[in-house]
Amino acid sequence: MTARMRLHPEAIGVGMTSQRVRDRLIERLRDNGIVDERVLNAVRTVPRHLFVDEALATRAYEDTALPIGHGQTISQPWVVAKMTEALFANGAQPKKVLEVGTGSGYQAAILAALGLEVHTVERIGELLRTARKRFRTLGFNIRSKHDDGRIGWPENGPYDGIV
């Protein structure tokens, strides 16, 4: 990983959020066609359990979408990995990426963990405020905007990829 995360004890995890559990998720992703080791390492390293409600933390490393409130979900890890892997398709080396729909902030954190300059737009203010706190806690410098996202964030473009 090229971005620096300040991992605190909760980020490391125990029990159902431990490194062993994360490694099992990585094996499931590999078994389901995710091959980019950079992406797999980012998924292994970014503490997904910090992006869900504490009551769901024990399910954070299942390959499933989970509710995050406001009728939204944190995407299934395979979907996050596949979308991220697509940015690097055909040897592409993106530097600047726009994410539409910040949600919990997990996808943006994965992108930032890969060293990308991330700009993310979210229409639900409470979700964005919570995601921004997570970014700060983990030490990610992710630019975020509270807006609808239908037109993206043109004043910061062009982007090398959009998720």
Side-chain angles (χ1 to χ4, degrees):
M1 277 188 356
T2 55
R4 290 182 1 158
M5 282 193 304
R6 295 183 310 250
L7 294 181
H8 49 80
E10 297 86 25
I12 296 166
V14 295
M16 293 306 290
T17 62
S18 70
Q19 193 60 53
R20 191 178 73 231
V21 173
R22 295 180 200 195
D23 290 342
R24 282 198 302 261
L25 170 62
I26 298 308
E27 290 311 310
R28 282 193 302 276
L29 295 178
R30 270 197 186 101
D31 291 347
N32 287 305
I34 304 299
V35 297
D36 191 313
E37 288 299 321
R38 296 167 297 184
V39 173
L40 291 167
N41 190 49
V43 172
R44 176 186 290 109
T45 308
V46 173
R48 188 170 188 253
H49 64 278
L50 298 181
F51 291 85
V52 298
D53 186 88
E54 192 175 339
L56 294 171
T58 60
R59 298 190 57 209
Y61 298 98
E62 294 175 9
D63 192 19
T64 188
L66 296 169
I68 58 171
H70 303 277
Q72 305 298 306
T73 60
I74 183 174
S75 294
Q76 174 185 0
W78 182 86
V79 171
V80 170
K82 194 67 174 173
M83 290 190 300
T84 304
E85 201 173 52
L87 290 171
F88 295 94
N90 301 317
Q93 294 297 317
K95 291 180 177 35
K96 187 177 187 181
V97 177
L98 172 66
E99 177 197 30
V100 179
T102 310
S104 70
Y106 181 68
Q107 174 77 69
I110 294 291
L111 297 170
L114 287 162
L116 302 177
E117 179 183 329
V118 181
H119 299 255
T120 184
V121 181
E122 174 57 55
R123 66 183 174 83
I124 301 172
E126 189 174 329
L127 289 179
L128 185 59
R129 282 187 291 281
T130 302
R132 285 174 172 161
K133 288 177 190 170
R134 290 176 177 131
F135 300 154
R136 283 191 300 275
T137 298
L138 293 169
F140 287 123
N141 182 20
I142 296 171
R143 294 181 177 101
S144 60
K145 179 180 179 181
H146 181 216
D147 204 346
D148 184 289
R150 282 184 279 188
I151 62 166
W153 198 347
E155 58 269 25
N156 285 324
Y159 301 98
D160 302 316
I162 299 173
V163 175

